[in-house]
Amino acid sequence: MDVTPITALQRQERAEANGGAPTLEFDRQAPYDRYVRASTLHALQSPLSDDPGEMSFLMVSQVMELYFGLIRYELRHAQDLLARDDVWASLAPLRRAALHLEALNASWQGLRWMTPAEFNRFRDLLGEGSGFQSAMYRHLEFTLGLKSESLMRPFRRQPEVHAALRESFEAPSLWDETLELLRRRGLADGPEQAVQAWVTVYADSGPDNHLRLLGEALTEVAQRFGDWRYHHLQSVKRAMGAKAGSGGSAGLVWLERSMARTVFPELWTARTFM
């Protein structure tokens, strides 16, 4: 990316030279476009029908894909920090991830207009395409610890995508790293002791108990991710009722079964004994 850095002093000098007006002439592509790649982003929408509602469906789906990647990025950053025993530093990316999940959930609002009749105007053109086939969503699930090897099968004909998913599947998850942290701190030797470990952690409500803060940050991520799955279910109900999914799933039944898989289960179970 060809972006020329500029210092605070240079910015001030340019502002003074321009009399406070923005710079309007550039010798090449506008710097904003070079950095954000806005032209590229806006060239990625290729609706398959003439129905104007399809653009909403397509654009919102793409926005969600970007958020999947961003949330996974933050969670992996937090995971790396936990592996280095830096619990305090891990809180910032976890809190950012929770906020990004809020924004992801808000994306569903852009599809509230869609009735079954409106979805049906372009749904058949999607063929077997389905959000179920999102590789980045699978990466996000694997990072959270929701792992199912069968969910990699749709990508077997895409060697690079499949290999990346395999690596993500086999690598420790954020929750694995959290349990390993509890082991190093002498609180739990494995998942079976994790419930009591969290009960012990939460018994100390002091401001310097970073593990308790970690537990709350992880709980917020898990809850917001649960909100995402609920909003997905409700949006499907609104747009297509109990019809079979375009990707071959049972639609609502599949989503309800997916929601039953708990993120960070021992952390939630521990709350019963606190």
Side-chain angles (χ1 to χ4, degrees):
M1 187 190 322
D2 183 17
V3 177
T4 303
I6 180 171
T7 66
L9 178 59
Q10 288 173 318
R11 282 194 293 271
Q12 181 63 32
E13 290 174 345
R14 289 188 181 184
E16 292 174 357
N18 292 343
T23 302
L24 299 177
E25 297 292 338
F26 302 99
D27 56 354
R28 291 177 295 164
Q29 179 185 13
Y32 173 83
D33 199 29
R34 289 206 306 273
Y35 180 72
V36 178
R37 306 289 177 90
S39 296
T40 300
L41 286 172
H42 291 298
L44 295 178
Q45 292 77 48
S46 300
L48 301 176
S49 74
D50 295 328
D51 188 83
E54 187 189 354
M55 181 59 92
S56 294
F57 179 81
L58 179 57
M59 182 85 68
V60 169
S61 297
Q62 291 177 337
V63 167
M64 288 182 177
E65 279 292 325
L66 291 173
Y67 269 118
F68 294 157
L70 176 58
I71 295 162
R72 179 179 181 247
Y73 171 86
E74 297 285 15
L75 295 181
R76 292 185 70 185
H77 183 200
Q79 184 175 342
D80 290 341
L81 291 167
L82 290 177
R84 300 201 296 267
D85 272 309
D86 198 342
V87 176
W88 177 254
S90 75
L91 300 179
L94 287 173
R95 287 166 177 161
R96 288 196 299 267
L99 290 173
H100 298 328
L101 279 161
E102 278 194 53
L104 171 66
N105 291 333
S107 299
W108 288 114
Q109 300 303 314
L111 297 178
R112 285 176 57 192
W113 57 268
M114 190 182 293
T115 65
E118 288 163 327
F119 188 30
N120 287 339
R121 290 174 189 166
F122 58 86
R123 186 189 182 206
D124 289 348
L125 297 176
L126 304 179
E128 293 183 289
S130 167
F132 170 81
Q133 300 152 10
S134 167
M136 187 53 69
Y137 182 73
R138 295 304 166 207
H139 278 295
L140 176 55
E141 282 193 324
F142 293 169
T143 302
L144 288 167
L146 299 175
K147 296 186 177 184
S148 176
E149 192 165 6
S150 64
L151 296 178
M152 292 188 286
R153 289 174 58 188
F155 309 98
R156 286 185 299 176
R157 307 296 184 188
Q158 297 173 266
E160 291 185 4
V161 176
H162 189 268
L165 280 170
R166 169 62 63 181
E167 181 179 357
S168 183
F169 179 83
E170 294 179 350
S173 68
L174 170 62
W175 189 237
D176 291 331
E177 206 64 68
T178 301
L179 295 179
E180 177 60 19
L181 173 71
L182 294 178
R183 186 197 66 77
R184 291 196 303 271
R185 298 292 177 92
L187 291 166
D189 288 332
E192 63 280 357
Q193 297 180 12
V195 171
Q196 183 55 49
W198 285 113
V199 173
T200 301
V201 165
Y202 271 77
D204 176 7
S205 59
D208 295 327
N209 183 0
H210 294 172
L211 286 178
R212 184 176 184 275
L213 296 176
L214 173 63
E216 285 301 278
L218 290 169
T219 300
E220 189 70 15
V221 167
Q223 183 169 338
R224 297 304 176 195
F225 186 74
D227 292 343
W228 149 261
R229 294 193 288 185
Y230 174 76
H231 287 307
H232 188 186
L233 178 70
Q234 293 301 109
S235 293
V236 168
K237 280 184 179 180
R238 186 167 189 154
M240 54 182 271
K243 297 184 184 75
S246 55
S249 73
L252 289 179
V253 174
W254 169 267
L255 291 175
E256 288 168 347
R257 191 161 63 236
S258 177
M259 286 179 64
R261 297 189 300 156
T262 306
V263 178
F264 313 148
E266 293 86 357
L267 184 55
W268 289 100
T269 301
R271 300 180 109 76
T272 302
F273 305 100
M274 292 178 185

